């Protein structure tokens, strides 16, 4: 298994819009495309309260490329994203890492 960690740093005040988009649109689209989430987190203590971190699980990089590309270009997703950003951008910048478990990791 590979795990993808994505961190979205929101435009100030726009974290609620990002959470709404995930709850109402993104998760449905991921299910449609077979994208598996591990979990979502916000910072209780940290340098920013305008940040969303989440992890996805992949069998391989090939699976990730195939499923993510289909999701990202799905007209339904493109329209949902545009609608959610009609009042302006939500994410100021994003970080992305593909993680591989260590031999001693509980998650494999």
């Amino acid at each position: 298994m590979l795990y993808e960690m994505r961190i979205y740093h929101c435009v100030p005040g726009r974290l609620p819009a990002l959470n709404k988009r995930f709850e109402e649109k993104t998760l449905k689209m991921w299910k449609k495309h077979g994208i598996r989430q591990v979990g979502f987190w916000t910072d209780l203590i940290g340098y920013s309260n305008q940040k969303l971190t989440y992890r996805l699980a992949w069998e391989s990089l090939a699976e990730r490329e195939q499923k993510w590309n289909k999701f990202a270009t799905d007209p339904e997703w493109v329209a949902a994203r545009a609608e959610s950003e009609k009042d302006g951008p939500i994410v100021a910048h994003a970080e992305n890492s593909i993680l591989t478990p260590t031999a001693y990791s509980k998650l494999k």
Side-chain angles (χ1 to χ4, degrees), residues 61-89:
L61 288 175
E63 179 200 22
R64 186 222 181 253
E65 182 177 349
Q66 183 239 1
K67 290 181 177 179
W68 192 261
N69 288 342
K70 283 185 178 180
F71 159 71
T73 58
D74 185 313
E76 186 180 347
W77 165 245
V78 172
R81 182 178 176 181
E83 174 64 23
S84 71
E85 294 181 338
K86 69 179 185 250
D87 296 326

Side-chain angles (χ1 to χ4, degrees), residues 3-4 8 10-12 21 23 29 32 34 43-44 51 53 55 59 63-65 69 73-74 80-81 84 91 106:
Y3 297 92
E4 182 170 5
Y8 292 166
C10 291
V11 171
R21 184 168 76 190
E23 289 179 59
M29 296 297 301
K32 173 182 172 182
D43 287 13
L44 179 62
K51 182 174 85 170
T53 301
R55 289 198 181 153
E59 295 292 333
E63 179 200 22
R64 186 222 181 253
E65 182 177 349
N69 288 342
T73 58
D74 185 313
R81 182 178 176 181
S84 71
V91 177
K106 186 174 182 176

